[in-house]
Structures are given as C-alpha cells and as structure tokens.
C-alpha cells in the first residue's frame, strides 16, 4: 500500500519533469534500469579506449598524437564520472568492474570491431562519437539528476571529438589515393555498426517502454538513429565519401533519408560474443586489471599504515 | 662545432627525451592498474609530446633547412636520435615505470628550473611551461615510490628491483660534452655538474621515506650522446614512424 503510494508520487514527479536525486525515493526497477544503463555507458567509455589506444603510438604527426591522447583521456574521464554517477545508486566500482568481467554488464557493441587503419581513428570520432552524441544530447534531459549532469559535461567534449574525427576523414579524402582508400575502407566498416549503436528497432526493443515512462530515455531508438543518419549522410557527401548502402535515398515525403535493411543477425551475433574483438577486449581489460592488483593492494596497505600512524600520534 | 650546430643538437636532445618518454608513457593507455592512473600516465605522456613538439619545432628553426618538427620526429633513424637511454627503457611493471619517472622527473625538475634562466628566450619559455608540468610529474613519481616502497611486501620488492634495475641508466643524465660546454659558456645550456648532487640528494630522500635502499653500483651505461642506443629504440621508431615511412607522400 505504502509502496504503491510512493510509486505514484514518484511517477508524478517524473511527469512534472522533476529530476530525481540520489537520496530520493525511486522504484527498484528504476534503480536497476539506471545502474544497467549507466554502467554500460561507463564501461563503453573505458573499453573504447582500446581501439583508439591501438593507434596512439602510430599516430602520423605530433599534433594528431596529442589530439588522440587528449581524446582518449576524455573518454577515460567520462568513464570515471559515469562510474561515480552509478555509485550514487548504491553500487561500488569493484562490483561494477566485476559485472563487466563476468559478462553481466555490457559495453557498447561497437567496440567489438577493430581499428585497422589510421582512418579508423577518424571514423570512430566522426561516426561512433557522432552516434553517441545524438544519444547523449537526448540524455542530458534524462530524469536522473547525476546522470543528466554527467551527460551535460560529456556532450561538450564529445562534440569536439566528432569534429576531430571528421577532420581526419576530410584530410585523408584530400590526400593521396591510398589515403582516400583508407578513409573509404573505414567508412565501409564503421557505417553499419554505427547505425546499430542505437539498438534494435522500436518494435523490437526490450527495454524501451519503462525507460520512456520514467523519462530515462527521452527519444526512441529509431528517432535517434534517424537524426544521426540525416546529419551524417550530408557530411559524408561534402568530403566525397560514399555511404555503403545502395538503398540509401532521400525521401521527399518524410524529409528524411531512408536506408537499407540493417543486418540484425550480425548485431545479435556480435552482442552475444561472436564479434571480431569481443574476446580480445575483455581479455585485455581483465589481464591489465589483474596485473594491477598488487598496485591497488599496495596503495590500500599504505593508506592503512598512514592512518594507523596518524592515530598513534593523535 | 658552431654555436648553431650546438644549439640544434641541444634542442634535439631535449626534444628526443620528451618524445621517447612520451611514447613510452602512452603505451600505458588502457593498461594501468586503475582508470585514474591510466589518465595520469597518459596525461604525462601528453605533456611530453607537447614539449617534444615545441623543442623539435625550435630545433628545425635553428637548423634552418625548412624541416618541420614532424620531419625531425618521423624521418630520423636511430643513430640521429639523441634521447637518454633511460627514456627508451620498456615500461616493465608499474614499479619500473615509476622508478623511471622518479629518476627522470627529479632530473628534469632541477634541469628545467635552471633552463628557465637560459639566455635563449625560446628555451627559457619552453622551460617555464615544462617546469609546471614536471613539478606534478615529480610529485606523482615520489608519491608512488613511497606508497609502493612502504606498501606490501610484494610492492616493496618490486619497487626496490625497479630502482636497482634502472640505476645504470641514470648516469647519462649528467654527461656533458662539447655541445653543453659551448652553450654553457654563453649562458644558454644548463650546467649538469651541480644538478647531479641535487639529484642524488632528492632520490635518496624519497627512497629513505619509501624504506628503500639507494643503489650503490657505479657502472653506468652510456651512448646516447653519440646516437648509440639500446635495442629498444629501433622498435619504438619503427612503430612511431610507420605511417610516415610507409606513405612518404601523404600529409596527415
């Protein structure tokens, strides 16, 4: 009875457009949904450091090396404040990382694809971050306060990432024949996975309905995907890249681009573990996490010794 | 050796130190013990690459042959690189990276404090930016040396081993040849002799607080002033220069 009342009150607050804060009442389902979503988002930022990190040591100029380093640091920083946002919901970093390693928590499927040439760094910034921004701009108005505030910060930096990614692509398209080939090759490999980042079609999305009711999610997968397609197609044309979709055409009636069929079999196959880099990404994270255990233990032991000494003095 | 040649060489040495150490630190990306530390190490890498860019740009200007900082970074072979051998040593475990940072950042702290007073205005400006970064790098390295030295038994053993393993590369930091000597005369270069004592004192102080022993071996490996490196540099450069070498006509 009490629960029903508080749940109604909660929904009223949501309907009034109020933000929910960490100490406010929230239904279990809301909390669980947020932990799942925020931790997935945090893990994506962290796992995303791997494909981009793959090119730091080979970045072709000192300027591009610095931009890439700064960008990857931003991603790591996003991971950090998303972990903090998740922690406000009563889960620890250790638990979050355990869930990642056990497979209970996911990360964005896009990072199960490899970064094979330098243009991939452009494509990741332009397409992957570009798709992420569309989603994140929408999430700035998400109903959970700490998540919303994290998104506001993240969006500022992501738009810089998208521009630098596009700049790499544009430069390469102005370059030698080999550079243009690299750029188109990256486009061909990243376009469809980028579209899949928005998740299944609205009719097939398992998480959408509650998330919309709670205003965690403000726009549907298909609405967001369409926004991304509309802005990206034109950007590709400007620099002479071809979108790898023979069915792509502008629909005069709707004012949007129609696209061919997304290969959802591939999406499900990769999400379920059978992508080019699933094992590699997870093994990498686990390996270095485990290798760093002695450092974390030492830091902990040192902190305890320090505290004990302070107590002695006091 | 003309003054111009000496200054060019001096800038290369400093620029190469920053570039190669920056490269090594960047290898930590996604591999650190936890995410905050990942960010700290790559942030220091970013400082280093930025400093390398400024120094190599100035080197190119001094040389006056129309090259860019990227030409110098990406088109020189190993024997034309003049970074200290310690900068190219592999990251090893976290303790080795910290020991390398402790030795180098302590050196750089005294070095750049002094270079700030150089009569060469460009070097002085680069130094005054560098010193702000180096202070943080040194604090980071000293804090970790103490934490690991005085942490668990395992961390103490690892830290002691790293401090000892890297010791033989530390002597080179203080080598002076005609490049330094001729620039020192004009108030451009830093005198490394007084820095050596300051360096030893500071290292000793940190190690004492970390409950670690100061190495006593006196064998010091040398070579980099003449462009003679360890086997590591060839691998670093073949990775770093890959795109520029494979597509020499491309602009990035």
């Amino acid at each position: 009875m009490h629960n029903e009342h508080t749940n109604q009150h909660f929904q009223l607050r949501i309907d009034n457009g109020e933000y929910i804060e960490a100490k406010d009442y929230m239904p279990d389902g809301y909390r669980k949904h947020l932990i799942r979503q925020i931790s997935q988002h945090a893990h994506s930022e962290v796992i995303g450091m791997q494909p981009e990190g793959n090119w730091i040591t080979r970045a072709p100029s000192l300027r591009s090396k610095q931009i890439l380093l700064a960008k990857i640091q931003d991603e790591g920083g996003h991971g950090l404040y998303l972990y903090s946002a998740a922690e406000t919901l009563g889960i620890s970093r250790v638990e979050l990382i355990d869930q990642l390693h056990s497979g209970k928590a996911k990360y964005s499927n896009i990072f199960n694809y490899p970064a094979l040439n330098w243009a991939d760094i452009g494509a990741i910034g332009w397409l992957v971050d570009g798709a992420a921004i569309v989603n994140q701009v929408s999430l700035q108005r998400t109903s959970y306060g700490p998540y919303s505030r994290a998104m506001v910060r993240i969006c500022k930096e992501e738009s810089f990432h998208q521009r630098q990614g596009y700049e790499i692509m544009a430069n390469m398209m102005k370059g030698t024949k080999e550079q243009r080939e690299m750029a188109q090759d990256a486009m061909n490999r990243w376009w469809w996975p980028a579209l899949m980042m928005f998740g299944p079609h609205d009719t097939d999305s398992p998480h959408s309905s509650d998330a919309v009711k709670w205003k965690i999610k403000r726009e549907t997968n298909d609405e967001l995907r369409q926004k991304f397609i509309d802005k990206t197609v034109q950007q590709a044309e400007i620099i002479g890249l071809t979108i790898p979709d023979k069915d792509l055409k502008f629909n005069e009636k709707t004012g949007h681009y129609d696209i061919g069929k997304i290969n959802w079999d591939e999406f499900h196959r990769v999400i379920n573990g059978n992508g080019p880099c699933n094992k590699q990404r997870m093994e990498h994270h686990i390996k270095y996490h485990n290798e760093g255990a002695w450092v974390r233990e030492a830091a902990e032991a040192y902190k305890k010794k320090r505290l004990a000494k302070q107590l002695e003095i006091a | 050796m003309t003054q111009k040649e000496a200054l060019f060489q001096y800038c290369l040495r400093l620029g190469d130190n920053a570039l190669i150490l920056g490269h090594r630190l960047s290898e930590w990306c996604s591999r650190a013990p936890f995410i905050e530390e990942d960010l700290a190490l790559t942030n220091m890498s970013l400082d280093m690459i930025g400093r390398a860019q400024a120094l190599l740009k100035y080197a190119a200007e001094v040389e006056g042959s129309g090259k860019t900082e990227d030409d110098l970074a990406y088109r020189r072979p190993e024997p034309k690189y003049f970074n200290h051998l310690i900068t190219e040593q592999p990251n090893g475990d976290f303790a080795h990276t910290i020991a390398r940072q402790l030795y180098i950042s302590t050196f750089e702290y005294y070095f750049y404090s002094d270079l700030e007073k150089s009569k060469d205005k460009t070097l002085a400006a680069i130094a005054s930016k560098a010193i702000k970064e180096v202070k943080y790098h040194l604090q980071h390295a000293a804090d970790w040396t103490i934490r690991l030295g005085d942490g668990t038994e395992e961390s103490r053993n690892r830290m002691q081993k790293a401090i000892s393993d890297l010791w033989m590369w530390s002597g080179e930091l203080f080598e002076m040849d005609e490049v330094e000597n001729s620039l020192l005369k004009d108030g451009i270069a830093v005198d490394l002799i007084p820095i050596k004592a300051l360096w030893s004192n500071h290292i000793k102080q940190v190690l004492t607080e970390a409950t670690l022993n100061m190495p006593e071996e006196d064998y010091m490996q040398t070579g980099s002033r003449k462009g003679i490196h360890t086997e590591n540099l060839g691998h670093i450069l073949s990775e770093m220069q890959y795109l520029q070498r494979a597509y020499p006509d491309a602009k990035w």
Side-chain angles (χ1 to χ4, degrees):
Chain A
M1 190 65 194
H2 173 73
N3 228 5
E4 202 171 293
H5 176 74
T6 43
N7 282 348
Q8 273 174 7
H9 178 68
F10 172 83
Q11 191 60 46
L12 260 172
R13 293 189 60 200
I14 296 277
D15 294 342
N16 286 335
E18 287 176 45
Y19 284 111
I20 306 301
E21 295 300 332
K23 287 186 175 143
D24 297 352
Y25 172 80
M26 63 186 84
D28 273 353
Y30 180 82
R31 186 183 300 273
K32 277 194 191 131
H33 187 103
L34 276 170
I35 289 177
R36 189 181 56 75
Q37 184 170 334
I38 298 174
S39 74
Q40 172 167 343
H41 193 163
H43 296 323
S44 302
E45 301 278 2
V46 171
I47 298 295
M49 294 166 77
Q50 290 181 37
E52 298 194 287
N54 185 39
W55 279 93
I56 295 176
T57 53
R58 291 178 293 169
S61 69
L62 295 177
R63 177 176 178 269
S64 65
K65 197 186 281 283
Q66 289 172 78
I67 293 174
L68 182 57
L69 266 167
K71 175 183 192 288
I72 298 173
Q73 269 185 65
D74 284 349
E75 312 291 9
H78 298 169
L80 253 187
Y81 34 90
L82 286 163
Y83 281 134
S84 303
E87 281 168 341
T88 64
L89 294 159
I91 185 163
S92 69
R93 177 106 68 97
V94 173
E95 288 171 292
L96 288 165
I97 290 174
D98 279 350
Q99 288 185 357
L100 174 68
H101 291 175
S102 74
K104 189 180 174 219
K106 302 272 184 215
Y107 55 89
S108 179
N109 210 26
I110 195 84
F111 299 120
N112 290 321
Y113 292 87
L116 299 179
N117 79 55
W118 174 249
D120 285 43
I121 296 305
I124 292 174
W126 174 42
L127 300 175
V128 175
D129 290 352
I133 292 172
V134 172
N135 200 12
Q136 287 162 354
V137 164
S138 177
L139 283 171
Q140 290 181 94
R141 295 179 298 127
T142 192
S143 60
Y144 187 54
Y147 192 26
S148 158
R149 289 189 289 275
M151 280 304 123
V152 172
R153 258 179 93 175
I154 288 174
C155 279
K156 283 186 195 144
E157 291 174 349
E158 291 290 358
S159 60
F160 153 74
H161 298 170
Q162 199 203 1
R163 277 201 302 277
Q164 68 84 28
Y166 189 60
E167 184 195 287
I168 290 176
M169 292 305 251
N171 278 342
M172 290 184 75
M173 288 304 287
K174 281 188 282 192
T176 62
K177 180 169 170 283
E178 284 152 324
Q179 285 177 299
R180 289 197 298 277
E181 282 168 3
M182 285 182 217
Q184 186 61 53
D185 172 46
M187 177 84 203
N188 295 347
R189 284 181 287 105
W190 290 95
W191 172 252
W192 289 105
L195 296 188
M196 293 176 199
M197 284 174 69
F198 296 95
H201 288 304
D202 297 345
T203 45
D204 307 321
S205 176
H207 299 296
S208 272
S209 56
D210 273 347
V212 170
K213 181 181 88 185
W214 288 326
K215 294 191 182 169
I216 294 174
K217 201 173 167 76
R218 306 298 302 244
E219 288 164 284
T220 70
N221 292 354
D222 285 328
E223 285 165 355
L224 294 167
R225 181 163 26 237
Q226 192 64 53
K227 279 190 187 178
F228 172 71
I229 292 166
D230 290 342
K231 71 170 183 170
T232 308
V233 169
Q234 291 171 5
Q235 290 170 350
E237 278 171 6
I238 291 170
I239 56 174
L241 279 167
T242 306
I243 305 266
D245 178 359
K246 59 179 173 31
D247 297 321
L248 180 89
K249 60 171 185 291
F250 189 70
N251 183 329
E252 299 282 351
K253 245 189 265 168
T254 60
H256 296 294
Y257 284 92
D258 292 338
I259 58 162
K261 242 177 128 219
I262 294 175
N263 182 352
W264 293 113
D265 290 343
E266 176 184 325
F267 176 77
H268 291 296
R269 175 171 56 77
V270 179
I271 260 191
N272 288 322
N274 293 313
C277 301
N278 300 53
K279 288 191 185 72
Q280 179 190 333
R281 299 289 183 240
M282 204 39 58
E283 278 169 11
H284 179 107
H285 197 277
I286 293 171
K287 173 180 169 16
Y288 290 104
H289 184 74
N290 291 344
E291 278 185 12
W294 71 271
V295 177
R296 297 189 298 273
E297 282 157 19
E300 210 41 53
Y302 177 77
K303 202 162 84 184
K304 276 192 191 138
K305 281 190 198 173
R306 266 291 150 113
L307 263 176
K309 266 187 203 157
Q310 278 170 3
L311 286 176
E312 254 172 52
I313 296 162
Chain B
M1 178 176 278
T2 66
Q3 280 304 83
K4 196 177 103 168
E5 284 164 352
L7 184 57
F8 174 63
Q9 189 67 16
Y10 197 63
C11 293
L12 282 185
R13 289 176 177 184
L14 300 182
D16 291 348
N17 279 338
L19 182 56
I20 299 303
L21 184 63
H23 183 97
R24 280 297 190 213
L25 288 168
S26 79
E27 292 172 345
W28 273 103
C29 179
S30 81
R31 294 177 174 87
F34 48 95
I35 185 80
E36 286 86 346
E37 204 42 46
D38 212 293
L39 298 179
L41 292 167
T42 49
N43 194 40
M44 291 190 275
S45 166
L46 187 56
D47 289 343
M48 287 295 177
I49 307 288
R51 194 192 306 164
Q53 190 180 26
L55 286 161
L56 294 179
K57 185 167 183 255
Y58 186 45
E61 255 174 62
V62 171
E63 191 191 25
S65 65
K67 285 190 190 134
T68 65
E69 62 268 34
D70 282 340
D71 294 331
L72 288 175
Y74 289 92
R75 302 291 172 95
R76 274 181 300 149
E78 298 95 301
K80 301 276 183 212
Y81 257 82
F82 299 100
N83 56 285
H84 290 125
L85 300 178
I86 191 171
T87 61
E88 65 197 47
Q89 296 310 305
N91 286 338
D93 64 4
F94 186 69
H96 277 76
T97 290
I98 292 301
R100 194 181 59 199
Q101 285 300 104
L102 180 71
Y103 288 164
I104 294 174
S105 303
T106 303
F107 171 76
E108 288 188 336
Y109 174 74
Y110 296 113
F111 179 86
Y112 280 107
S113 301
D114 213 22
L115 192 67
E116 239 186 318
K117 295 171 228 147
S118 172
K119 285 197 178 138
D120 183 294
K121 291 283 169 278
T122 309
L123 284 180
I126 292 171
S128 79
K129 180 166 186 286
I131 193 68
K132 293 188 189 90
E133 298 163 353
V134 170
K135 278 181 187 163
Y136 167 72
H137 300 182
L138 178 54
Q139 186 71 49
H140 175 267
D143 285 352
W144 270 115
T145 303
I146 294 163
R147 225 175 265 142
L148 296 178
D150 195 17
T152 61
E153 193 189 341
E154 181 182 6
S155 72
R156 185 179 190 285
N157 292 340
R158 283 177 184 259
M159 197 65 228
Q160 184 65 62
K161 178 166 172 22
I163 286 290
S164 306
D165 285 351
L166 285 159
W167 182 249
M168 66 183 269
W169 309 106
S170 66
E172 227 192 18
L173 298 170
F174 310 101
E175 272 178 27
M176 292 179 79
D177 62 10
E178 57 171 335
V179 173
E180 271 86 6
N181 289 328
S182 70
L183 293 172
L184 181 61
K185 217 167 54 223
D186 295 339
I188 292 174
V190 171
D191 187 356
L192 300 177
I193 293 166
I195 290 187
K196 187 169 184 189
L198 294 168
W199 183 88
S200 293
N201 282 342
H202 187 261
I203 297 292
K204 184 150 189 121
Q205 196 188 317
V206 173
L207 294 183
T208 305
E209 198 179 338
T211 71
L212 297 169
N213 303 318
M214 184 100 165
E216 281 165 6
E217 295 80 6
D218 47 15
Y219 174 69
M220 290 290 168
Q221 183 59 44
T222 179
S224 73
R225 304 302 82 187
K226 295 190 168 62
I228 299 165
H229 289 272
T230 64
E231 289 176 348
N232 297 299
L233 187 67
H235 294 286
I236 292 176
L237 294 187
S238 53
E239 194 171 344
M240 183 170 81
Q241 299 178 336
Y242 152 63
L243 282 170
Q244 288 259 357
R245 299 278 195 186
Y247 305 99
D249 302 327
K251 289 201 169 53
W252 303 90

